């Protein structure tokens, strides 16, 4: 979840923005009056976080219990990426000034970004007790409800906000996204079109329509998007969203050259925001292969939490993982949840804490942990995921593709879980990622190929040191013979076959991934070879994949 990108003090809220007005109401309860702190806040707003940090250090050395300064210190720490430190500063601030509403709002927002959902909810409810109709607080409550799977409650909040602020595009976008997640496609489309009626150049609304994979733009839609894209004054974010939306529109028309041009431009703009260090990525792969030997993993036998409840579905995005999740969620013993963040949170906690303090990299830090610590982590994972489990079924799915980076940690802290590696044709998978608007993680075509190679090599390593431990589900096999592949999946999970798994498209549940509309229909092979329409422009991708693409689904010898 993205960090807050604005730090406001006592500036007037923009007219017509209910969320900015809601924040202004919070700040009005405790204006920032000290001139020195106003200057520090100005530095922070201007992106001068280091300067603000230095000034606050001097200020707090003489006035350590100034709640306003502690709030600014917390915001500064968060801006500099020290989230745990920021949380502790907000907590101290609120000990000193329990009625500091704006600080409590920032604290609740940070807790949400840290995925501490229950304490975040408590903070929001305390704020709402004093300002029940504040739209900013209600939006934050809805975001928390979204995160913990309380979709119907969340939907009601978004609906109320859209009804109360019918001229505000963002309210309709959020409402549309909630409708889409619960399977109400027609109403979702109508909500996104209401957002466009509010602000025609809303790139996010156009992209939200494009991201509904079964939606098709009209000729008039394309004309409007082209007109808005070409006019001056449109914001950079809207422009990028429109590029991706137009790419999808032209793709659906079969104008593949024009489609690729727009995807490429949109992806290039997004890539400027993506911080990727190839030395770090290659070092991570080498470190994982070095640490997770058969001998090391066997030496940790007996450690970790023994609960078998989680089923991890991982791999690269756009690999068919949502389809697998929907199939398994149709089984009476399995509950689908969401792309849970908790495994990655453990890694970040190491990176922000012990790795820094002890000058040890991740994942090498795991070799330093005693068995009791590994067990405690597994138990903490189960406790943190409890809030996502609603149905009381014995097993639940954690479908976060990026968890393939943490397979070793998963096996150490939860040795009895099942792991499914969802794999799709490398070119199809990578190009599907290329044409998706991920906001902060887009890569160039050749980079996507290199990351995919690293992923294949890492998973091949675990196949070698722990044969049969991870089940590989090939998307194309699932399309060709669904029943055989579903039976194979269930055999691996040690679950009996159920006919409902074949009728997965009839299972009603919330789905928040780009494939939500597709998995609510029977399996189709239309996407299997679709990438070949773009093959003339994919040489950088194909070259970087090398034998990974030519030998698929086999793993090339040099990566085994």
């Amino acid at each position: 979840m993205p960090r807050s990108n604005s730090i406001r003090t006592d500036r007037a809220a923009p007219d017509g923005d209910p969320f900015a007005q809601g924040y202004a109401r919070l700040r009005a309860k405790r204006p920032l009056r000290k001139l020195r702190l106003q200057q520090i806040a100005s530095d922070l707003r201007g992106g001068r976080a280091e300067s603000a940090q230095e000034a606050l250090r001097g200020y707090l050395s003489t006035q350590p219990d100034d709640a306003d300064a502690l709030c600014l210190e917390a915001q500064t720490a968060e801006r500099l990426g020290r989230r745990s430190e920021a949380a502790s500063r907000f907590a101290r601030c609120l000990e000193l000034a329990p009625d500091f509403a704006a600080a409590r709002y920032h604290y609740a927002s940070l807790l949400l970004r840290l995925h501490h959902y229950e304490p975040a909810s408590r903070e929001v409810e305390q704020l709402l007790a004093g300002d029940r109709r504040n739209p900013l607080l209600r939006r934050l409550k809805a975001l928390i409800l979204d995160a913990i799977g309380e979709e119907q409650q969340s939907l009601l909040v978004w609906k109320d906000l859209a009804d109360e602020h019918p001229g505000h595009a963002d309210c309709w976008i959020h409402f549309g996204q909630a409708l889409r997640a619960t399977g109400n496609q027609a109403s979702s489309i109508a909500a996104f079109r209401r957002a466009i009626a509010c602000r025609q150049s809303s790139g996010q609304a156009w992209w939200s329509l494009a991201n509904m994979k079964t939606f098709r733009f009209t000729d008039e839609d394309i004309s409007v998007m082209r007109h808005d894209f070409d006019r001056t004054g449109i914001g950079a974010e809207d422009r990028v969203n429109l590029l991706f939306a137009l790419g999808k529109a032209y793709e659906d028309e079969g104008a593949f050259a024009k489609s690729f041009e727009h995807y490429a431009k949109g992806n290039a703009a997004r890539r400027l925001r993506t911080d990727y260090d190839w030395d770090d990525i290659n070092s991570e792969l080498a470190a994982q292969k070095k640490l997770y030997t058969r001998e090391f993993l066997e030496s940790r036998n007996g450690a970790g939490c023994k609960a078998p409840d989680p089923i991890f579905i991982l791999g690269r995005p756009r690999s068919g993982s949502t389809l697998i999740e929907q199939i398994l969620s149709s089984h009476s013993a399995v509950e689908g949840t969401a792309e849970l963040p908790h495994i990655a949170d453990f890694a970040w906690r190491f990176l922000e804490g012990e790795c820094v303090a002890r000058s040890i990299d991740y994942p090498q830090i795991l070799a330093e942990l005693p068995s009791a610590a590994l067990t405690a982590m597994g138990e903490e994972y189960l406790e943190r995921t409890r809030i996502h489990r609603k149905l009381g079924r014995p097993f639940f799915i954690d479908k976060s593709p990026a968890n393939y980076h943490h397979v070793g940690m998963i096996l150490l802290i939860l040795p009895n879980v099942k792991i499914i590696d969802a794999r799709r044709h490398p070119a199809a998978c990578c190009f599907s990622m290329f044409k998706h608007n991920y906001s902060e993680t887009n890569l160039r075509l050749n980079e996507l190929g290199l990351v995919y190679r690293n992923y294949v090599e890492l998973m091949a390593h675990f196949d070698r040191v722990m044969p049969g431990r991870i089940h590989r589900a090939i998307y194309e096999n699932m399309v060709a013979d669904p029943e055989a592949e579903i039976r194979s999946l269930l055999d691996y999970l040690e679950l009996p076959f159920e006919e409902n798994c074949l009728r997965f498209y009839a299972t009603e549940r919330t789905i928040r991934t780009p494939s939500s509309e597709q998995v609510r229909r029977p399996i189709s092979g239309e996407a299997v070879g679709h990438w070949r329409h773009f093959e003339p422009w994919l040489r950088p991708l194909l070259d970087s994949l090398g034998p990974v693409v030519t030998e698929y689904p086999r793993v090339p010898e040099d990566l085994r």
Side-chain angles (χ1 to χ4, degrees):
M1 190 165 296
R3 299 176 188 167
S4 172
N5 58 8
S6 60
I7 305 291
R8 300 183 181 90
T9 55
D10 301 303
R11 295 177 297 168
D15 292 339
D17 185 340
F19 304 125
Q21 292 166 359
Y23 184 82
R25 278 157 57 178
L26 298 181
R27 282 302 287 155
K29 296 179 180 181
R30 188 185 177 100
L32 189 61
R33 301 193 183 281
K34 294 181 180 178
L35 186 61
R36 182 70 185 108
L37 294 181
Q38 289 178 8
Q39 180 57 52
I40 293 172
S42 177
D43 285 346
L44 199 52
R45 285 196 307 273
R48 298 181 293 278
E50 290 81 3
S51 174
Q53 175 183 244
E54 187 63 27
L56 283 165
R57 187 177 292 121
Y59 184 95
L60 285 164
S61 67
T62 59
Q63 301 183 66
D65 292 335
D66 187 311
D68 292 307
L70 285 167
C71 180
L72 287 171
E73 185 183 35
Q75 292 170 291
T76 301
E78 185 179 2
R79 182 67 63 88
L80 294 172
R82 301 196 301 268
R83 299 178 300 173
S84 297
E85 178 185 333
S88 68
R89 295 296 186 272
F90 277 128
R92 175 58 180 157
C93 167
L94 291 167
E95 285 178 12
L96 295 167
D99 60 346
F100 196 163
R104 194 172 298 279
Y105 167 75
H106 284 297
Y107 185 37
S109 299
L110 175 59
L111 289 171
L112 173 58
R113 287 191 287 277
L114 290 170
H115 311 121
H116 298 324
Y117 301 122
E118 289 175 301
S121 183
R122 289 194 296 270
E123 297 296 335
V124 171
E125 290 302 329
Q126 185 169 338
L127 286 165
L128 283 167
D131 196 356
R132 181 61 58 184
R133 302 305 299 169
N134 189 310
L136 183 73
L137 302 180
R138 290 154 64 202
R139 179 177 70 172
L140 183 55
K141 178 177 180 177
L143 291 171
I144 295 170
L145 291 169
D146 285 341
I148 63 176
E150 297 291 349
E151 291 83 13
Q152 294 303 322
Q153 294 181 54
S154 167
L155 186 64
L156 292 175
V157 179
W158 293 125
K159 181 180 186 303
D160 285 347
L161 287 169
D163 287 343
E164 292 170 23
H165 307 283
H168 195 261
D170 283 353
C171 292
W172 289 107
I173 291 170
H174 282 297
F175 183 37
Q177 290 168 342
L179 287 164
R180 181 194 177 194
T182 53
N184 196 334
Q185 183 176 0
S187 295
S188 175
I189 291 170
F192 293 140
R193 289 204 178 278
R194 284 291 299 269
I196 292 165
C198 294
R199 191 167 74 84
Q200 185 173 287
S201 61
S202 173
Q204 187 179 1
W206 288 111
W207 168 245
S208 295
L209 287 170
N211 201 27
M212 302 176 74
K213 302 307 180 185
T214 57
F215 175 82
R216 298 294 181 266
F217 288 112
T218 66
D219 290 343
E220 182 181 356
D221 289 334
I222 296 173
S223 177
V224 170
M225 286 192 284
R226 284 287 347 161
H227 174 269
D228 284 332
F229 183 81
D230 289 338
R231 66 185 179 83
T232 58
I234 185 173
E237 186 67 18
D238 287 326
R239 192 174 297 278
V240 172
N241 278 305
L242 283 169
L243 281 167
F244 279 99
L246 283 165
K248 172 63 162 54
Y250 290 130
E251 179 179 356
D252 291 338
E253 286 191 335
F256 299 116
K258 190 180 293 187
S259 171
F260 181 82
E261 176 188 356
H262 285 78
Y263 284 140
K265 288 179 178 178
N267 205 82
R270 284 286 185 230
R271 179 63 180 85
L272 295 174
R273 304 183 184 182
T274 304
D275 184 15
Y276 237 69
D277 189 319
W278 289 105
D279 289 338
D280 285 350
I281 291 165
N282 290 326
S283 296
E284 178 200 341
L285 173 63
Q288 297 224 36
K289 292 176 68 174
K290 180 179 179 181
L291 174 64
Y292 296 122
T293 62
R294 182 175 301 180
E295 294 73 23
F296 172 74
L297 292 168
E298 288 177 351
S299 74
R300 297 307 190 268
N301 283 343
C305 174
K306 304 305 185 292
D309 306 26
I311 299 169
F312 289 92
I313 302 175
L314 44 77
R316 293 297 289 154
R318 313 297 299 138
S319 61
S321 56
T322 302
L323 173 61
I324 297 170
E325 177 190 39
Q326 182 74 355
I327 289 167
L328 295 180
S329 298
S330 303
H331 195 284
S332 61
V334 182
E335 178 175 3
T337 56
E339 295 190 0
L340 304 182
H342 307 297
I343 290 294
D345 284 348
F346 289 156
W348 278 111
R349 192 164 70 193
F350 282 126
L351 289 167
E352 292 181 347
E354 286 191 65
C355 287
V356 174
R358 301 168 64 177
S359 299
I360 300 176
D361 291 334
Y362 175 85
Q364 186 60 39
I365 187 72
L366 293 166
E368 307 293 318
L369 299 184
S371 294
L374 297 173
T375 302
M377 285 178 65
E379 291 171 348
E380 181 184 349
Y381 171 84
L382 288 178
E383 177 60 25
R384 291 184 66 174
T385 53
R386 178 180 55 81
I387 196 170
H388 303 284
R389 303 177 69 177
K390 317 292 183 184
L391 304 180
R393 295 179 180 179
F395 302 102
F396 72 97
I397 295 170
D398 182 337
K399 187 200 80 72
S400 183
N403 277 341
Y404 82 83
H405 291 284
H406 310 298
V407 166
M409 179 169 66
I410 292 170
L411 292 171
L412 290 176
I413 70 174
L414 293 160
N416 292 331
V417 302
K418 302 291 188 179
I419 300 175
I420 298 166
D421 175 15
R423 193 163 296 188
R424 181 184 177 192
H425 189 284
C429 178
C430 292
F431 182 62
S432 185
M433 293 176 62
F434 182 78
K435 65 183 187 178
H436 191 80
N437 185 3
Y438 285 107
S439 297
E440 295 180 351
T441 59
N442 288 65
L443 297 177
R444 302 179 183 94
L445 283 171
N446 67 309
E447 294 171 335
L448 286 166
L450 293 171
V451 173
Y452 194 99
R453 280 178 60 90
N454 276 14
Y455 147 68
V456 169
E457 184 173 351
L458 180 60
M459 299 309 294
H461 170 77
F462 283 106
D463 288 343
R464 184 170 62 255
V465 300
M466 301 191 76
R469 184 66 181 80
I470 298 168
H471 179 82
R472 185 146 301 111
I474 304 297
Y475 174 76
E476 292 78 15
N477 293 348
M478 184 70 74
V479 170
D481 192 347
E483 182 169 346
E485 290 303 304
I486 290 170
R487 288 184 179 276
S488 177
L489 269 174
L490 294 175
D491 285 347
Y492 167 73
L493 297 174
E494 302 178 87
L495 293 174
F497 177 79
E498 291 183 0
E499 289 288 337
N500 280 345
C501 293
L502 285 173
R503 296 190 297 274
F504 62 88
Y505 46 85
T507 300
E508 294 185 5
R509 52 182 291 269
T510 299
I511 307 170
R512 293 191 173 275
T513 70
S515 303
S516 60
E517 285 74 39
Q518 293 160 304
V519 300
R520 290 189 172 108
R521 301 184 301 172
I523 287 178
S524 166
E526 64 186 33
V528 170
H530 185 75
W531 69 273
R532 292 194 179 276
H533 292 297
F534 295 88
E535 192 169 1
W537 304 283
L538 300 185
R539 183 48 52 193
L541 171 63
L542 299 175
D543 287 346
S544 63
L545 286 167
V548 169
V549 71
T550 55
E551 296 189 30
Y552 177 80
R554 290 181 62 254
V555 176
E557 181 111 11
D558 64 325
L559 299 186
R560 295 182 203 170

